[in-house]
Amino acid sequence: MACCRLVRLRFCHNSCLALRSRPPSSSSAALSFLAVPSSPRNYPLSFCHVSSSSAQVDQHQQESHLPRSPDLVALEYADLNLSYDLDLGHVRIRQHVNPLSSSFSVPAQVPDWNQVFADPMLPLMVDIGCGSGRFLMWLAKRNPKVRNYLGLEIRRKLVKRAEIWLKDLGLDNIHFLFANATISFKQLVEAYPGPLQLVSILCPDPHFKKRHHKRRVLQKPLVGAIVDNLVPGGQVFVQSDVLEMALDMRDQFDEVDKLKHIDTLNPDISCDGEGWLLSNPMGIRTEREIHAEYEGAKIYRRLYQKQ
């Protein structure tokens, strides 16, 4: 089984090498402080498969030897060389939690920034709902001495695993916190000594039922805290594979006079007719993004800049 998986990954890797490089976008200057040295990963269209059941997906994979989406995630983050043989005991990570539960009502303790970052005066990026943290680690590894990265995650076990990975990587410009962002974001960023330059909210839990919308991470107090603490020129990047969730985030940020969507500042930015960015400007896809695109879903992205 391990041998087969290795063959699949090598097949993916060899196929992707020919497709990775592409000429830089004419709009790259507008996304200057989002840019990273490496190009975004690209995969053959044949790697994407849409089906009505997981059984059909598995059967198709077995017949055509296509990689599974976890294999593509591992390939996307292969540069990190992370160990997946972690001694964490029995780990069961819940996919969804209720942020309104009393167990998540205690604000996270503000860390000693001098202890968690080598230079706490660097511009800060905060990823709200950072998940496993691999997305943020990839960025931190490529931007040493340029920016600090703070990942906030409400599932403690994911934070614990990220901390183990981080110790192996030895990075001094990234930190993870177990925190309910709706409660803790404001006090954390206000205590940070450097400028808040970028905030990302990527594929948050949509909490579909109307009575559960109050559980969504993006509420008006959080929107206000983000905008108030961003430096002029600072940016907010949001995305979701659920249109309803993407529209909710878009509507809340569109109401803020101090924010302008990036395509209004630079018409050369590639967007569709409704203003959704056509590609991820960060240079790396999130894990959820990889899984969703593998299943044929569209990713709805918006990028705002503070005036």
Side-chain angles (χ1 to χ4, degrees), residues 73-117:
V73 171
L75 178 62
E76 189 100 356
Y77 293 98
D79 294 345
L80 293 176
N81 294 317
L82 298 175
S83 170
Y84 296 94
D85 186 19
L86 302 178
D87 185 16
L88 295 175
H90 177 68
V91 177
R92 181 177 180 273
I93 299 172
R94 298 185 63 184
Q95 292 298 314
H96 309 283
V97 300
N98 179 9
L100 302 181
S101 170
S102 59
S103 59
F104 301 120
S105 63
V106 179
Q109 184 176 355
V110 176
D112 182 344
W113 301 112
N114 290 290
Q115 293 293 322
V116 299
F117 295 129

Tab-separated table of all heavy atoms in Angstrom, residues 73-117:
chain	number	residue	atom	x	y	z
A	73	VAL	N	-2.827	17.051	-1.516
A	73	VAL	CA	-2.479	17.935	-0.391
A	73	VAL	C	-1.034	17.692	0.019
A	73	VAL	O	-0.257	18.627	0.218
A	73	VAL	CB	-3.427	17.707	0.796
A	73	VAL	CG1	-2.926	18.462	2.034
A	73	VAL	CG2	-4.837	18.155	0.459
A	74	ALA	N	-0.669	16.415	0.159
A	74	ALA	CA	0.702	16.086	0.543
A	74	ALA	C	1.697	16.606	-0.484
A	74	ALA	O	2.778	17.084	-0.137
A	74	ALA	CB	0.840	14.570	0.708
A	75	LEU	N	1.342	16.520	-1.756
A	75	LEU	CA	2.220	17.015	-2.808
A	75	LEU	C	2.344	18.531	-2.754
A	75	LEU	O	3.438	19.079	-2.910
A	75	LEU	CB	1.696	16.578	-4.169
A	75	LEU	CG	2.490	17.051	-5.392
A	75	LEU	CD1	3.903	16.487	-5.352
A	75	LEU	CD2	1.781	16.651	-6.672
A	76	GLU	N	1.234	19.204	-2.526
A	76	GLU	CA	1.242	20.678	-2.474
A	76	GLU	C	2.188	21.184	-1.384
A	76	GLU	O	2.863	22.191	-1.551
A	76	GLU	CB	-0.182	21.185	-2.215
A	76	GLU	CG	-0.347	22.686	-2.353
A	76	GLU	CD	-0.933	23.095	-3.688
A	76	GLU	OE1	-1.154	22.231	-4.556
A	76	GLU	OE2	-1.164	24.304	-3.866
A	77	TYR	N	2.229	20.445	-0.262
A	77	TYR	CA	3.039	20.882	0.876
A	77	TYR	C	4.296	20.030	1.060
A	77	TYR	O	4.879	20.007	2.142
A	77	TYR	CB	2.192	20.843	2.155
A	77	TYR	CG	1.081	21.864	2.143
A	77	TYR	CD1	-0.216	21.513	1.783
A	77	TYR	CD2	1.334	23.198	2.468
A	77	TYR	CE1	-1.231	22.463	1.744
A	77	TYR	CE2	0.330	24.144	2.440
A	77	TYR	CZ	-0.946	23.764	2.079
A	77	TYR	OH	-1.950	24.708	2.049
A	78	ALA	N	4.723	19.373	-0.011
A	78	ALA	CA	5.888	18.493	0.085
A	78	ALA	C	7.148	19.251	0.471
A	78	ALA	O	8.048	18.701	1.117
A	78	ALA	CB	6.103	17.766	-1.244
A	79	ASP	N	7.231	20.535	0.102
A	79	ASP	CA	8.426	21.323	0.413
A	79	ASP	C	8.668	21.469	1.912
A	79	ASP	O	9.787	21.748	2.339
A	79	ASP	CB	8.316	22.722	-0.207
A	79	ASP	CG	8.323	22.680	-1.724
A	79	ASP	OD1	8.693	21.627	-2.275
A	79	ASP	OD2	7.972	23.692	-2.348
A	80	LEU	N	7.625	21.291	2.709
A	80	LEU	CA	7.783	21.429	4.161
A	80	LEU	C	8.474	20.215	4.789
A	80	LEU	O	9.011	20.303	5.896
A	80	LEU	CB	6.413	21.634	4.824
A	80	LEU	CG	5.698	22.949	4.513
A	80	LEU	CD1	4.308	22.958	5.160
A	80	LEU	CD2	6.510	24.147	4.978
A	81	ASN	N	8.423	19.071	4.102
A	81	ASN	CA	9.045	17.843	4.613
A	81	ASN	C	8.555	17.511	6.022
A	81	ASN	O	9.340	17.209	6.924
A	81	ASN	CB	10.577	17.979	4.619
A	81	ASN	CG	11.145	18.089	3.224
A	81	ASN	OD1	10.741	17.368	2.323
A	81	ASN	ND2	12.072	19.019	3.031
A	82	LEU	N	7.264	17.572	6.232
A	82	LEU	CA	6.689	17.312	7.543
A	82	LEU	C	6.606	15.819	7.820
A	82	LEU	O	6.397	15.006	6.918
A	82	LEU	CB	5.291	17.924	7.643
A	82	LEU	CG	5.204	19.443	7.503
A	82	LEU	CD1	3.748	19.880	7.496
A	82	LEU	CD2	5.965	20.141	8.615
A	83	SER	N	6.750	15.464	9.082
A	83	SER	CA	6.588	14.080	9.501
A	83	SER	C	5.125	13.826	9.826
A	83	SER	O	4.490	14.601	10.545
A	83	SER	CB	7.445	13.800	10.738
A	83	SER	OG	7.126	12.525	11.278
A	84	TYR	N	4.572	12.747	9.283
A	84	TYR	CA	3.179	12.400	9.557
A	84	TYR	C	3.068	11.231	10.525
A	84	TYR	O	1.983	10.764	10.825
A	84	TYR	CB	2.450	12.094	8.248
A	84	TYR	CG	2.384	13.307	7.348
A	84	TYR	CD1	3.344	13.512	6.367
A	84	TYR	CD2	1.396	14.266	7.509
A	84	TYR	CE1	3.307	14.638	5.559
A	84	TYR	CE2	1.347	15.394	6.716
A	84	TYR	CZ	2.306	15.568	5.744
A	84	TYR	OH	2.266	16.699	4.947
A	85	ASP	N	4.207	10.780	11.013
A	85	ASP	CA	4.245	9.704	12.003
A	85	ASP	C	4.410	10.338	13.379
A	85	ASP	O	5.462	10.275	14.006
A	85	ASP	CB	5.394	8.745	11.699
A	85	ASP	CG	5.385	7.528	12.628
A	85	ASP	OD1	4.325	7.267	13.215
A	85	ASP	OD2	6.432	6.883	12.749
A	86	LEU	N	3.344	11.002	13.850
A	86	LEU	CA	3.403	11.743	15.104
A	86	LEU	C	2.824	10.911	16.240
A	86	LEU	O	1.779	10.277	16.096
A	86	LEU	CB	2.620	13.055	14.988
A	86	LEU	CG	3.071	14.009	13.871
A	86	LEU	CD1	2.185	15.242	13.844
A	86	LEU	CD2	4.523	14.402	14.053
A	87	ASP	N	3.484	10.934	17.373
A	87	ASP	CA	3.030	10.195	18.550
A	87	ASP	C	2.077	11.078	19.349
A	87	ASP	O	2.431	11.698	20.341
A	87	ASP	CB	4.226	9.790	19.412
A	87	ASP	CG	3.801	8.904	20.586
A	87	ASP	OD1	2.665	8.386	20.533
A	87	ASP	OD2	4.599	8.750	21.527
A	88	LEU	N	0.819	11.133	18.871
A	88	LEU	CA	-0.188	11.958	19.535
A	88	LEU	C	-1.249	11.111	20.215
A	88	LEU	O	-2.242	11.636	20.718
A	88	LEU	CB	-0.859	12.888	18.515
A	88	LEU	CG	0.043	13.939	17.876
A	88	LEU	CD1	-0.735	14.698	16.803
A	88	LEU	CD2	0.576	14.896	18.919
A	89	GLY	N	-1.039	9.805	20.246
A	89	GLY	CA	-2.054	8.933	20.809
A	89	GLY	C	-3.263	8.877	19.880
A	89	GLY	O	-3.180	9.137	18.693
A	90	HIS	N	-4.418	8.558	20.444
A	90	HIS	CA	-5.640	8.505	19.647
A	90	HIS	C	-6.146	9.925	19.448
A	90	HIS	O	-6.525	10.608	20.401
A	90	HIS	CB	-6.708	7.658	20.351
A	90	HIS	CG	-8.018	7.622	19.595
A	90	HIS	ND1	-8.144	6.999	18.380
A	90	HIS	CD2	-9.233	8.160	19.892
A	90	HIS	CE1	-9.402	7.134	17.949
A	90	HIS	NE2	-10.069	7.834	18.844
A	91	VAL	N	-6.116	10.399	18.217
A	91	VAL	CA	-6.523	11.766	17.925
A	91	VAL	C	-7.760	11.746	17.037
A	91	VAL	O	-7.723	11.235	15.917
A	91	VAL	CB	-5.398	12.553	17.220
A	91	VAL	CG1	-5.883	13.949	16.861
A	91	VAL	CG2	-4.172	12.629	18.103
A	92	ARG	N	-8.849	12.277	17.562
A	92	ARG	CA	-10.072	12.424	16.781
A	92	ARG	C	-10.398	13.915	16.738
A	92	ARG	O	-10.705	14.516	17.763
A	92	ARG	CB	-11.225	11.642	17.415
A	92	ARG	CG	-12.535	11.742	16.620
A	92	ARG	CD	-13.622	10.881	17.246
A	92	ARG	NE	-14.864	10.962	16.509
A	92	ARG	CZ	-15.801	11.880	16.714
A	92	ARG	NH1	-15.613	12.798	17.663
A	92	ARG	NH2	-16.921	11.899	16.004
A	93	ILE	N	-10.295	14.481	15.564
A	93	ILE	CA	-10.489	15.924	15.417
A	93	ILE	C	-11.877	16.186	14.849
A	93	ILE	O	-12.229	15.697	13.765
A	93	ILE	CB	-9.412	16.521	14.492
A	93	ILE	CG1	-8.033	16.288	15.100
A	93	ILE	CG2	-9.651	18.013	14.274
A	93	ILE	CD1	-6.890	16.669	14.192
A	94	ARG	N	-12.660	16.946	15.576
A	94	ARG	CA	-14.008	17.267	15.126
A	94	ARG	C	-13.949	18.236	13.949
A	94	ARG	O	-13.164	19.174	13.922
A	94	ARG	CB	-14.810	17.901	16.265
A	94	ARG	CG	-15.006	16.988	17.461
A	94	ARG	CD	-15.907	17.650	18.491
A	94	ARG	NE	-17.236	17.891	17.963
A	94	ARG	CZ	-18.199	18.536	18.629
A	94	ARG	NH1	-17.951	19.007	19.844
A	94	ARG	NH2	-19.385	18.726	18.102
A	95	GLN	N	-14.802	17.988	12.968
A	95	GLN	CA	-14.853	18.867	11.812
A	95	GLN	C	-15.584	20.168	12.122
A	95	GLN	O	-15.275	21.215	11.563
A	95	GLN	CB	-15.545	18.147	10.642
A	95	GLN	CG	-14.759	16.988	10.087
A	95	GLN	CD	-13.431	17.417	9.510
A	95	GLN	OE1	-13.360	18.398	8.775
A	95	GLN	NE2	-12.370	16.705	9.841
A	96	HIS	N	-16.570	20.101	13.014
A	96	HIS	CA	-17.365	21.278	13.322
A	96	HIS	C	-17.502	21.415	14.842
A	96	HIS	O	-17.692	20.421	15.550
A	96	HIS	CB	-18.767	21.169	12.699
A	96	HIS	CG	-18.743	20.834	11.238
A	96	HIS	ND1	-18.444	21.763	10.267
A	96	HIS	CD2	-18.964	19.669	10.585
A	96	HIS	CE1	-18.496	21.193	9.083
A	96	HIS	NE2	-18.802	19.918	9.240
A	97	VAL	N	-17.409	22.642	15.315
A	97	VAL	CA	-17.624	22.922	16.727
A	97	VAL	C	-18.555	24.107	16.844
A	97	VAL	O	-18.728	24.886	15.899
A	97	VAL	CB	-16.293	23.222	17.464
A	97	VAL	CG1	-15.342	22.037	17.383
A	97	VAL	CG2	-15.628	24.472	16.896
A	98	ASN	N	-19.155	24.261	18.016
A	98	ASN	CA	-20.041	25.392	18.286
A	98	ASN	C	-19.252	26.470	19.010
A	98	ASN	O	-18.974	26.338	20.205
A	98	ASN	CB	-21.226	24.925	19.133
A	98	ASN	CG	-22.164	26.074	19.474
A	98	ASN	OD1	-22.018	27.185	18.952
A	98	ASN	ND2	-23.128	25.808	20.339
A	99	PRO	N	-18.885	27.559	18.344
A	99	PRO	CA	-18.078	28.599	18.982
A	99	PRO	C	-18.805	29.336	20.090
A	99	PRO	O	-18.169	30.070	20.862
A	99	PRO	CB	-17.732	29.535	17.819
A	99	PRO	CG	-18.833	29.326	16.833
A	99	PRO	CD	-19.213	27.878	16.953
A	100	LEU	N	-20.128	29.148	20.171
A	100	LEU	CA	-20.891	29.811	21.223
A	100	LEU	C	-20.919	28.996	22.512
A	100	LEU	O	-21.455	29.447	23.526
A	100	LEU	CB	-22.332	30.064	20.747
A	100	LEU	CG	-22.472	30.915	19.474
A	100	LEU	CD1	-23.937	31.111	19.130
A	100	LEU	CD2	-21.775	32.260	19.636
A	101	SER	N	-20.332	27.802	22.483
A	101	SER	CA	-20.261	26.970	23.676
A	101	SER	C	-19.429	27.660	24.750
A	101	SER	O	-18.472	28.388	24.455
A	101	SER	CB	-19.652	25.612	23.333
A	101	SER	OG	-19.364	24.870	24.487
A	102	SER	N	-19.793	27.425	25.996
A	102	SER	CA	-19.075	28.057	27.111
A	102	SER	C	-17.603	27.665	27.138
A	102	SER	O	-16.759	28.404	27.635
A	102	SER	CB	-19.736	27.679	28.445
A	102	SER	OG	-19.740	26.272	28.620
A	103	SER	N	-17.280	26.494	26.582
A	103	SER	CA	-15.890	26.039	26.584
A	103	SER	C	-14.997	26.887	25.686
A	103	SER	O	-13.777	26.833	25.789
A	103	SER	CB	-15.818	24.570	26.139
A	103	SER	OG	-16.352	24.407	24.844
A	104	PHE	N	-15.609	27.683	24.798
A	104	PHE	CA	-14.831	28.548	23.903
A	104	PHE	C	-15.023	30.026	24.226
A	104	PHE	O	-14.677	30.892	23.417
A	104	PHE	CB	-15.228	28.303	22.441
A	104	PHE	CG	-15.027	26.895	21.985
A	104	PHE	CD1	-16.103	26.146	21.521
A	104	PHE	CD2	-13.779	26.303	22.015
A	104	PHE	CE1	-15.925	24.837	21.084
A	104	PHE	CE2	-13.590	24.994	21.591
A	104	PHE	CZ	-14.665	24.261	21.124
A	105	SER	N	-15.554	30.321	25.390
A	105	SER	CA	-15.882	31.705	25.734
A	105	SER	C	-14.755	32.443	26.440
A	105	SER	O	-14.841	33.656	26.643
A	105	SER	CB	-17.139	31.734	26.619
A	105	SER	OG	-16.910	31.053	27.848
A	106	VAL	N	-13.709	31.720	26.828
A	106	VAL	CA	-12.595	32.355	27.544
A	106	VAL	C	-11.602	32.918	26.527
A	106	VAL	O	-11.111	32.186	25.667
A	106	VAL	CB	-11.887	31.346	28.463
A	106	VAL	CG1	-10.713	32.008	29.173
A	106	VAL	CG2	-12.869	30.771	29.468
A	107	PRO	N	-11.287	34.212	26.592
A	107	PRO	CA	-10.332	34.797	25.640
A	107	PRO	C	-8.959	34.150	25.755
A	107	PRO	O	-8.520	33.759	26.841
A	107	PRO	CB	-10.274	36.278	26.068
A	107	PRO	CG	-11.537	36.503	26.832
A	107	PRO	CD	-11.847	35.212	27.512
A	108	ALA	N	-8.289	34.017	24.634
A	108	ALA	CA	-6.927	33.469	24.634
A	108	ALA	C	-5.986	34.452	25.320
A	108	ALA	O	-6.142	35.669	25.209
A	108	ALA	CB	-6.468	33.207	23.207
A	109	GLN	N	-5.015	33.914	26.019
A	109	GLN	CA	-4.038	34.761	26.690
A	109	GLN	C	-3.084	35.365	25.661
A	109	GLN	O	-2.576	34.680	24.788
A	109	GLN	CB	-3.245	33.953	27.716
A	109	GLN	CG	-2.260	34.777	28.524
A	109	GLN	CD	-1.561	33.953	29.596
A	109	GLN	OE1	-1.888	32.778	29.799
A	109	GLN	NE2	-0.621	34.556	30.285
A	110	VAL	N	-2.862	36.657	25.770
A	110	VAL	CA	-1.935	37.328	24.862
A	110	VAL	C	-0.526	36.830	25.148
A	110	VAL	O	-0.051	36.904	26.281
A	110	VAL	CB	-1.997	38.857	25.032
A	110	VAL	CG1	-0.942	39.533	24.155
A	110	VAL	CG2	-3.389	39.377	24.704
A	111	PRO	N	0.165	36.307	24.153
A	111	PRO	CA	1.512	35.768	24.388
A	111	PRO	C	2.543	36.889	24.534
A	111	PRO	O	2.277	38.052	24.195
A	111	PRO	CB	1.785	34.945	23.128
A	111	PRO	CG	0.970	35.610	22.066
A	111	PRO	CD	-0.268	36.123	22.746
A	112	ASP	N	3.694	36.528	25.019
A	112	ASP	CA	4.830	37.443	25.026
A	112	ASP	C	5.402	37.435	23.611
A	112	ASP	O	6.055	36.485	23.201
A	112	ASP	CB	5.876	36.978	26.044
A	112	ASP	CG	7.069	37.923	26.135
A	112	ASP	OD1	7.247	38.754	25.218
A	112	ASP	OD2	7.843	37.810	27.107
A	113	TRP	N	5.130	38.490	22.859
A	113	TRP	CA	5.508	38.510	21.452
A	113	TRP	C	7.011	38.380	21.258
A	113	TRP	O	7.471	37.868	20.228
A	113	TRP	CB	4.993	39.783	20.788
A	113	TRP	CG	3.507	39.936	20.866
A	113	TRP	CD1	2.799	40.865	21.588
A	113	TRP	CD2	2.517	39.118	20.213
A	113	TRP	NE1	1.441	40.684	21.431
A	113	TRP	CE2	1.238	39.620	20.592
A	113	TRP	CE3	2.575	38.016	19.361
A	113	TRP	CZ2	0.049	39.060	20.138
A	113	TRP	CZ3	1.390	37.453	18.906
A	113	TRP	CH2	0.148	37.969	19.291
A	114	ASN	N	7.785	38.840	22.212
A	114	ASN	CA	9.243	38.701	22.122
A	114	ASN	C	9.695	37.253	22.253
A	114	ASN	O	10.791	36.905	21.816
A	114	ASN	CB	9.925	39.545	23.204
A	114	ASN	CG	9.803	41.028	22.932
A	114	ASN	OD1	10.407	41.555	22.008
A	114	ASN	ND2	8.985	41.705	23.733
A	115	GLN	N	8.846	36.424	22.863
A	115	GLN	CA	9.167	35.013	23.016
A	115	GLN	C	8.747	34.190	21.796
A	115	GLN	O	9.415	33.228	21.434
A	115	GLN	CB	8.483	34.452	24.271
A	115	GLN	CG	9.007	35.024	25.573
A	115	GLN	CD	10.446	34.608	25.839
A	115	GLN	OE1	10.840	33.485	25.551
A	115	GLN	NE2	11.235	35.530	26.370
A	116	VAL	N	7.651	34.572	21.166
A	116	VAL	CA	7.128	33.748	20.062
A	116	VAL	C	7.674	34.167	18.699
A	116	VAL	O	7.692	33.364	17.759
A	116	VAL	CB	5.583	33.766	20.040
A	116	VAL	CG1	5.031	33.193	21.326
A	116	VAL	CG2	5.045	35.170	19.795
A	117	PHE	N	8.133	35.418	18.566
A	117	PHE	CA	8.683	35.888	17.295
A	117	PHE	C	10.091	36.422	17.521
A	117	PHE	O	10.357	37.111	18.514
A	117	PHE	CB	7.822	36.989	16.687
A	117	PHE	CG	6.439	36.548	16.281
A	117	PHE	CD1	5.320	37.264	16.692
A	117	PHE	CD2	6.267	35.434	15.484
A	117	PHE	CE1	4.049	36.870	16.309
A	117	PHE	CE2	4.995	35.023	15.098
A	117	PHE	CZ	3.882	35.742	15.518
